[in-house]
Amino acid sequence: MTSSERSPRELDCVIVGGGAAGLSAAVNMGRMRRRTLLIDERDRFLWRHDIHNLLGFPDGVSATEIRRLGWRHAAKYGVELLIGHVATAAPEGDRFRLTVERLPEGGLFGHLPGPRVPRDPEMARIFGEVPEGAPMEVLARTVILATGVFGHFPEFPGRNECVGRSLFWCIHCDGYESLNRVVGVVGHDDDAVQTALDLLVFTDRVTLVAGRPEGFEVPASRLADLAANGIAAHASAVAEYVNEGGQMKDLVLDDPGRTRIPVEQVYTVRRTTAANGLAKQLGLALNPLGQIVVTSEQHTNVAGVYAAGDATSLHDHQVSAAMHEGNQAACGANYRLYAPAQRALGDAEEC
Ligand SMILES: Cc1cc2nc3c(=O)[nH]c(=O)nc-3n(C[C@H](O)[C@H](O)[C@H](O)COP(=O)(O)OP(=O)(O)OC[C@H]3O[C@@H](n4cnc5c(N)ncnc54)[C@H](O)[C@@H]3O)c2cc1C
């Protein structure tokens, strides 16, 4: 897309979000020869973590590399890629109108938690970006939301270097990397207790810290489970996350003795928040956690709108699930775009 284009583009499908889910949807829409635009607001993936459990990558693969390959893959089938922030989405007749804003020069929008990545002019040149001035408008017959989640790692100096190297949140993703390591878990609720206990599959050196002045919010029986399994539990906040060059070193507790707990890895157990702003604008049903409710074929409650990946409620939040959901969402959107004669006998609109 050239920077001089300002009138609304007419597209078969707009995909919002260029992570594993959005890119998987894009590849499949491109292969079905649909006019597809994928819009993503991060110039690069923010956290520098490696994915170790994705089939086909026995040595692991970085999240950034998956994106790079995904962009190349989608572009091969004619999908247009655009760097920008989708600010609004609304139905208009049998289409959807979306407005897309240019990313600010200084980096990402202030509402996004996580590290700020400066705008990458080279990336913008390759993929195209929203021109300066008024927001760009696009019209699409179908929309796939693949907007992901906001993670909530604690704020501390050196944190961004630690994420994915020695600071984690999910043992399905990174538990194996904790094999025989010294691990601290920070969290006050039953999810945190469960994470600490589940880590015993990988290591017997686990300590739990509540991470807030109010201490734990679990029954005494759960604290007894920890003690019975050799896990020390500290009902304190963390005063300091000591780290160096991406390596966690110590948790210093906010207690009278400033207790220092040596660690090699830390898991912070806090729920993620689904990026659901556009979903709300479109009137999509959300579950109590704010995740987009979808069917097993990624349909939302609004015809023509599909959702995939971490933003949805369907599966565990993993790259493999995001790729599957993106593919499935593309199948749904593609089917909706067929003329009546192309659909299965008796199918009025969608599969
Ligand atoms: C530290 C860490 C380690 C992990 N390890 C693993 C692992 O080992 N194995 C594994 O399978 N999974 C792992 N995961 C989880 C995995 O990264 C996610 O499940 C996967 O990235 C989900 O893909 P997604 O496409 O749904 O969302 P995302 O990858 O988050 O992509 C969503 C995209 O949508 C964009 N977006 C949102 N709103 C807008 C908007 N309004 N306009 C434009 N763009 C927008 C965002 O900028 C983002 O680029 C890990 C996650 C983290 C944070």
Side-chain angles (χ1 to χ4, degrees), residues 16-23 39-42 44-45 47 49-54 63 67 84-87 100 108 111-112 146-151 153 163-164 167-170 172-174 177 275 278 308-311 316-323:
V16 187
L23 286 165
I39 305 164
D40 190 78
E41 71 186 4
R42 290 176 188 170
R44 289 172 262 146
F45 195 68
W47 308 114
H49 59 282
D50 285 339
I51 308 294
H52 293 284
N53 60 347
L54 190 62
R67 286 198 167 212
H85 167 71
V86 180
V100 196
L108 291 169
H111 71 270
L112 282 176
T147 45
V149 291
F150 303 135
F153 290 111
V163 171
L167 181 63
F168 307 109
W169 62 16
C170 160
H172 294 289
C173 297
D174 296 305
E177 273 54 62
L278 296 173
D310 282 7
D316 204 6
H317 289 170
Q318 297 269 291
V319 170
S320 53
M323 287 179 175

Side-chain angles (χ1 to χ4, degrees), residues 114-310:
R116 299 285 176 263
V117 179
R119 175 175 163 271
D120 184 335
E122 180 62 8
M123 195 71 83
R125 191 184 62 76
I126 296 169
F127 296 116
E129 69 179 330
V130 179
E132 284 186 83
M136 175 186 273
E137 300 212 321
V138 290
L139 283 170
R141 294 171 66 197
T142 60
V143 173
I144 296 176
L145 293 183
T147 45
V149 291
F150 303 135
H152 298 296
F153 290 111
E155 297 276 352
F156 58 85
R159 184 221 31 202
N160 297 347
E161 289 71 42
C162 292
V163 171
R165 291 185 196 155
S166 60
L167 181 63
F168 307 109
W169 62 16
C170 160
I171 75 163
H172 294 289
C173 297
D174 296 305
Y176 193 88
E177 273 54 62
S178 302
L179 206 57
N180 301 322
R181 308 298 286 274
V182 183
V183 178
V185 177
V186 181
H188 63 271
D189 57 10
D190 196 53
D191 279 353
V193 171
Q194 197 191 334
T195 298
L197 289 165
D198 291 354
L199 275 163
L200 294 175
V201 172
F202 305 104
T203 177
D204 57 6
R205 291 178 290 172
V206 181
T207 303
L208 178 64
V209 178
R212 61 175 201 163
E214 302 89 337
F216 293 106
E217 191 182 39
V218 291
S221 61
R222 287 305 264 162
L223 298 178
D225 287 340
L226 294 169
N229 284 281
I231 298 174
H234 298 266
S236 310
V238 178
E240 211 181 325
Y241 290 82
V242 182
N243 65 90
E244 194 181 311
Q247 176 59 55
M248 295 298 310
K249 299 264 185 203
D250 297 290
L251 293 175
V252 179
L253 304 191
D254 191 13
D255 62 12
R258 302 282 287 186
T259 303
R260 183 173 281 263
I261 301 171
V263 289
E264 293 174 286
Q265 299 184 340
V266 171
Y267 285 76
T268 57
V269 184
R270 297 185 192 180
R271 278 196 191 284
T272 55
T273 307
N276 59 17
L278 296 173
K280 285 179 180 165
Q281 291 181 31
L282 287 163
L284 304 192
L286 305 176
N287 71 10
L289 296 176
Q291 298 162 329
I292 303 169
V293 176
V294 287
T295 67
S296 61
E297 290 170 332
Q298 310 307 132
H299 293 233
T300 68
N301 57 311
V302 173
V305 182
Y306 308 80
D310 282 7

Side-chain angles (χ1 to χ4, degrees), residues 15 22-32 69-70 73-75 77 79 330:
I15 299 168
L23 286 165
S24 172
V27 168
N28 287 285
M29 287 307 275
R31 284 179 56 81
M32 293 308 293
L69 291 169
H73 199 165
Y77 295 111
V79 173

